[in-house]
């Protein structure tokens, strides 16, 4: 095992915000078949443990810095009024100081939008919302001119968004000034109009033409309904309110649940209004429900655990990566924080890793979602589940409250808590019974706790044994806390034994995630062995006789390295112990070769080795002069031949003189010369086939003229004889 | 006369080979064999055209010469092919 892998196993326990580790992926262990299974299982078990219980932290400074980063306009201004509103609203909720230079420019834009008679409903709504945040000095006349237009729009509205924008704008104008009359005369019919778009499962359609219903639309509808109720000039029909209440409870029945107690609305609808994910849908519903609860006189009987679950979902998202999601998260959390029926209280732990050795106290914070102080309450530790076993120990112990730091703490962990991972179950008990109506505590909260400690390692020794009798040949004591550099020697008839004991702070046995012995040969071939245990005693015996084949018959020095590591072991180590000189027999012919070592990645793309090609050495040639001399010698007989011809007085008297035979005789000689030249060409460059084709032609011609010439000569000689 | 010329040329080549070694062995062989072959053919021609040889009395010398030319052409085609 490499140190890196050891570290990865440690990671979940050391101060990671556990809400983020929900998406903890099982590690892909390196290629060690047996061990990989064990480790993979451990990791899976660990992640399953995290899924069951998780810590949700209230909104923190990381959200603020993310908001500043995400909501900084790229070119000095935002691209739309909607974006501007979302940025300003998020920044306001998070309590970040606004940049004053943006205000003037934005207010000018708002004024323009409000005074233009052609502005769309949506832009009017966004402009009024921005004005609500920035407090621009508006022209009263312009606003008074908008109000009748909006009231008309409410009356003639056919789609949900028309209702939402017009009603929302009227509500904003109502908040702005009391001079303008924004009351709706026929509020009942408007409520019916909105209600007509609702579906039997509590969700809404955007318009009567839409077939699909959406959760996001339900949130918008609830918000619009809340607006209509606040604008109504007379009391709304109670039966209508009752129907909406019914819709809300049906909507909440459709909540999906995570294992860790987080609830969310799943939104699968993709339509012209864009894709709305679980975050935007949950956010819209939370805003709708809280807005409706704020204006409704009746008690909505919202289930506390679901409201808390929604808060957990919104917090569990962590810090979203884009501006829209951050706005949805913060806006929904703000409406949860400020609602008057069900304020979720979030239980969080500063750290979920407690060290037994340092005697860490168990500390618990209880806050609202934005980290504000909770009312007076007591946190009770009810149960502790151990990760290994299913049964829980029932504790029922009250945590003390530290007023100065506003933290609940437990003086000392229960006596029987040893190192390991646990799930603690807490319960929040509010002191004031009236508070139980306002705050949602959500029953019991499960929190994963890792208890770590220094593990005592002792009686460590390494020895070489004789194979047959088990006599100890050499025995060396090891100090696993410090440095070791032993040197042993053994042959294939002997065994190597390594043993040590691990004791947890409470004196129990501990089986760490990793206990490996690694032998590395000089040629970098590695062999890893799992050190098994029985109780506290860890022991491994390497019988070299059975291992020679696995060791590829490689004699020589092997470095010994011992790895003992666990997430809860504070003194996990990976240290070299020394070396053993192995004397193994010679490999038989069919022995397996050691595998090639992993190539260094940096050299993989480097220049390749040069390929050297050896050409055949040329044959030895004779000296040039000698060759020329023999050329002359070879030609010499030819001159001798010519000389001989002269001496013999050879002549051409027999050559035909008549024109026709002379022509054929000349052609005959020319043809012979041509064939011989063809042979020369064949030697120099032509191949056999072209040569044979040409030769066939010349041959026939030669045969013809040859026959003519020779038959003429024959006839002349016959005439001479007869004459 | 012709025989002397061809055999002496062949002899010279053999001597050359004996001195410098037989590296382009096929060239050497074709050179020597063409000499010997031509010499043999020339001897055959002379036997046929010699009037004292009674067995070839019926054979006209023109026919013998035609044979000589044909055989030479065939021989040298083979020699050229073998020369490399």
């Amino acid at each position: 095992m490499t140190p890196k892998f050891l570290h990865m196993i440690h990671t979940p326990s050391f101060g990671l915000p556990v809400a983020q580790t929900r998406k903890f992926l099982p590690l892909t262990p390196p290629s060690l078949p047996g061990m990989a299974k064990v480790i993979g299982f451990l990791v899976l078990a660990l992640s399953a443990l995290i899924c069951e219980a998780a810590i949700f932290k209230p909104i923190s400074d990381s959200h603020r810095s993310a908001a500043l980063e995400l909501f900084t306009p790229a070119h000095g201004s935002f691209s739309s009024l909607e974006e501007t509103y979302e940025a300003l609203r998020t920044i306001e909720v998070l309590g970040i100081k606004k940049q004053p230079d943006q205000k003037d420019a934005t207010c000018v834009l708002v004024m323009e939008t409000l005074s233009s008679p052609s502005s769309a409903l949506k832009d009017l709504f966004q402009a009024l919302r921005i004005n609500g945040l920035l407090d621009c000095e508006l022209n009263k006349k312009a606003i008074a001119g908008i109000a009748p237009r909006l009231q008309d729009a409410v009356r003639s509205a056919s789609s949900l968004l028309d209702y939402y924008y017009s009603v929302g704008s009227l509500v904003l104008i109502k908040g702005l000034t009391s001079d303008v009359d924004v009351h709706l005369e026929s509020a009942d019919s408007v409520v019916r109009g909105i209600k007509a778009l609702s579906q039997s499962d509590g969700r809404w359609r955007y318009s009567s033409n839409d077939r699909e219903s959406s959760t996001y639309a339900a949130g918008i509808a609830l918000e619009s309904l809340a607006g209509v109720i606040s604008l109504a000039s007379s009391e709304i029909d109670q039966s209508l309110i009752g129907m909406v209440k019914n819709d809300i409870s049906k909507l909440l029945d459709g909540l999906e649940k995570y294992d860790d107690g987080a609830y969310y609305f799943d939104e699968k609808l993709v339509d012209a209004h864009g894709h709305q994910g679980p975050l935007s849908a949950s956010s819209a519903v939370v805003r709708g429900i809280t807005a409706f609860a704020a204006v409704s006189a009746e008690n909505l009987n919202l289930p506390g655990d679901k409201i808390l679950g929604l808060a957990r979902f919104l917090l569990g998202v962590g810090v979203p990566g884009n501006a829209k999601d951050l706005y949805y998260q913060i806006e929904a959390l703000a409406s949860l924080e400020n609602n008057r029926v069900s304020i979720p209280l979030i239980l969080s732990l500063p750290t979920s890793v407690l060290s037994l050795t340092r005697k860490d106290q168990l500390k618990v914070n209880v806050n609202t979602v934005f980290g504000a102080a909770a009312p007076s309450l007591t946190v009770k530790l009810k149960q502790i589940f151990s990760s290994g076993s299913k049964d829980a120990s029932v504790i029922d112990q009250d945590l003390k409250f530290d007023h100065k730091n506003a933290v609940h703490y437990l003086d000392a962990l229960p006596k029987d808590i040893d190192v390991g991972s646990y799930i603690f179950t807490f319960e929040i008990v509010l002191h004031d019974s009236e508070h139980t109506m306002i705050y949602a505590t959500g029953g019991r909260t499960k929190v994963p706790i890792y208890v770590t400690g220094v593990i005592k390692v002792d009686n460590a020794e390494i020895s070489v044994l004789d194979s047959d009798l088990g006599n100890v040949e050499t025995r060396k004591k090891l100090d696993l806390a410090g440095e070791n550099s032993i040197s042993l020697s053994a042959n294939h008839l002997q065994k190597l034994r390594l043993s040590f004991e691990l004791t947890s702070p409470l004196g129990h046995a501990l089986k760490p995630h990793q206990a490996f012995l690694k032998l590395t040969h000089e040629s970098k071939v590695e062999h890893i062995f799992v050190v098994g245990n029985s109780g506290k005693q860890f022991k491994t015996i390497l019988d070299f006789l059975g291992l020679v084949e696995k060791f590829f018959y490689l004699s020589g020095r092997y470095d010994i390295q011992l790895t003992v590591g666990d997430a809860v072991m504070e003194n996990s180590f990976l240290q070299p112990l020394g070396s053993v000189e192995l004397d193994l027999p010679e490999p038989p012919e069919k022995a397996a070769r050691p595998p090639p070592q992993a190539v260094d990645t940096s050299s993989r793309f480097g220049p390749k080795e040069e390929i050297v090609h050896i050409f055949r050495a040329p044959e030895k040639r004779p000296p040039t002069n000698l060759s020329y001399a023999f050329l002359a010698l070879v030609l010499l007989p030819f001159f001798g031949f010519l000389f001989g011809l002269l001496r013999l007085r050879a002549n051409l008297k027999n050559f035909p003189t008549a024109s026709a035979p002379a022509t054929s005789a000349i052609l005959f000689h020319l043809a012979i010369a041509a064939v011989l030249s063809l042979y020369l060409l064949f030697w120099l460059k032509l191949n056999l086939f072209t040569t044979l084709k040409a030769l066939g032609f010349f041959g026939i011609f030669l045969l013809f003229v040859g026959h003519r010439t020779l038959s003429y000569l024959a006839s002349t000689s016959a005439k001479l004889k007869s004459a | 006369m012709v025989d002397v010329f061809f055999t002496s040329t062949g002899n010279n080549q053999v001597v050359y080979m004996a001195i410098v070694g037989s590296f382009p062995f096929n060239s050497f062989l074709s050179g020597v064999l063409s000499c010997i072959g031509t010499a043999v053919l020339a001897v055959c021609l002379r036997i046929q055209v010699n009037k004292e040889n009674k067995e070839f009395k019926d054979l006209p010398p023109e026919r013998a010469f035609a044979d000589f030319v044909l055989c030479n052409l065939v021989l040298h085609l083979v020699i050229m092919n073998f020369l490399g």
Side-chain angles (χ1 to χ4, degrees), chain A residues 619 626-627 630 633 637 679 683, chain B residues 5 8 12 16 20 23 73 84:
Chain A
E619 292 281 341
L626 188 65
S627 299
F630 272 87
L633 268 183
Y679 285 174
W683 179 43
Chain B
F5 157 60
S8 59
N12 277 345
Y16 174 74
V20 302
F23 157 54
L73 289 180

Side-chain angles (χ1 to χ4, degrees), chain A residues 245-266:
Chain A
K245 235 178 92 174
N246 196 21
D247 279 338
I248 291 176
S249 64
K250 275 189 282 185
L251 194 60
L252 289 177
D253 285 343
L255 272 173
E256 312 261 342
K257 191 185 179 191
Y258 278 127
D259 289 343
D260 56 12
Y263 285 89
Y264 68 102
F265 288 101
D266 202 3

Side-chain angles (χ1 to χ4, degrees), chain A residues 619 621-622 626-627 630 633-634 637-638 640-641 644 672 675 679 682-683 695 702 710 713-714 717, chain B residues 1-2 5 8-9 12-13 15-16 19-20 23 62 65-66 69 73-74 76-77 80-81 83-84:
Chain A
E619 292 281 341
R621 292 296 179 104
L626 188 65
S627 299
F630 272 87
L633 268 183
V634 167
F638 179 65
F641 172 64
I672 290 176
V675 169
Y679 285 174
F682 171 52
W683 179 43
L695 187 60
L702 189 60
L710 291 178
L713 284 178
S717 62
Chain B
M1 172 67 211
V2 180
F5 157 60
S8 59
T9 311
N12 277 345
Q13 291 189 14
V15 172
Y16 174 74
I19 294 173
V20 302
F23 157 54
E62 287 75 18
F65 183 70
V69 169
L73 289 180
V74 172
H76 278 93
L77 175 67
M80 283 298 169
N81 194 21
L83 194 61

